[in-house]
Amino acid sequence: MSERKIINDPVFGFINIPKGLLYDVITHPIVQRLTRIKQLGLSSVVYPGAQHTRFQHSLGAFYLMSEALTHLGAKGNDISEKEAEAVKAAILLHDIGHGPFSHVLENTLVHGISHEEISLMMMERMNKDLGGRLDLAIQIFKDEYTKRYLHQLVSGQLDMDRLDYLRRDSFYTGVTEGNIGSARIIKMLDIKDDHLVVEAKGIYSIENFLTARRLMYWQVYLHKTSVAYEKMLISSLLRAKELASKGNILFASPALHFFLYNDVSGEDFRKSREYLDNYLLLDDNDIWTSLKVWCNHPDIVLSTLSKGMINRNIFKVEIHTKPIDESYCKSIKEKICNHYHISMDEANYFIATPSIEKNMYDPADDSIEIIYNDGSIKNIAEASDMLNISLLSKKIKKYYLCFQRL
């Protein structure tokens, strides 16, 4: 029997999976579920190439973690085999709590619990299946292990999650500006006082990383068409949930049926096993299959929204710099009421006014530290001459108005 498995990845080439715990993690059903969940949710509506999965992203982050540990070890940082294995397991598992279409479920079918908390519940369950072999990985994931920098590699400003998704999402969307020099950033990493630092000669790669991140957010992740498409999906699921609460019979897979016909809170998840059982059965396919069937539902709101999702008839979007005027929204709603012969309440499903606020670098979050040859350390905001980091740490707010085209 071979000692390892090799996976060919279009972004990084060959990825080695050693036999043992890491192989058992990758082949576990909870991790395999990620092969049925797209990494970028509905972004393929704008970038048709964005068909890659959360599983591919987890493998890429695992590959980068292996590289980072090799380079850190070569610089004399003492990382034991057990720690290396645990931090690789932690990065493989960092996204397992995601539901279909990323954060859509958190806003509609499940309340009062984040995907991070669900991730932890899944890890605990896997840990039982694997006989407690994930104890250390979970400790690192929760930032409860003595070597704090191991957690930073899993979740921090320069974690392997970000380094992979920027490279990978740039590759699959074709948005080349997002392509960061992940290999160079990893080569420049070091540890000082239990904190991840970047060698001074890597400063331009960090500047490029922060700029690329800003660009990918506004051009890909928060693209106005993707935002509008996501709002349509949220409206469809909320309408389905409302109809279910009134006793209407709706087509749905057993797992989706469970979330449509029950009010699910974080408390339920923490108390009863069946909530996580059903959540584990949900993936993108449950939603798409239901939307296809709902296209023919007698409820005009649900069928119109579902047809819009299936046939790419997306909400129209306007972006404003200040909050949307109430009377303007009301006039749009009145037109929708008249067009579909529905009530004002029902018209609410056809309009959304999200505001999105984002900054690309928050020093309070976990600052990026630059280390010089003399051992002195400066924050990237002080160290960077070319880039005005204060601009990147400034919050940008945009107001979106998404509504049904008539």
Side-chain angles (χ1 to χ4, degrees), residues 287-309:
I287 310 281
W288 282 121
T289 306
S290 300
L291 288 168
K292 279 198 310 192
V293 178
W294 295 345
C295 287
N296 298 314
H297 196 276
D299 179 70
I300 184 83
V301 178
L302 184 62
S303 61
T304 305
L305 289 165
S306 300
K307 279 180 200 152
M309 288 294 302

Side-chain angles (χ1 to χ4, degrees), residues 76-90:
N77 298 294
D78 178 37
I79 302 166
S80 72
E81 271 184 43
K82 203 168 168 43
E83 288 167 338
E85 184 179 63
V87 77
K88 287 179 197 172

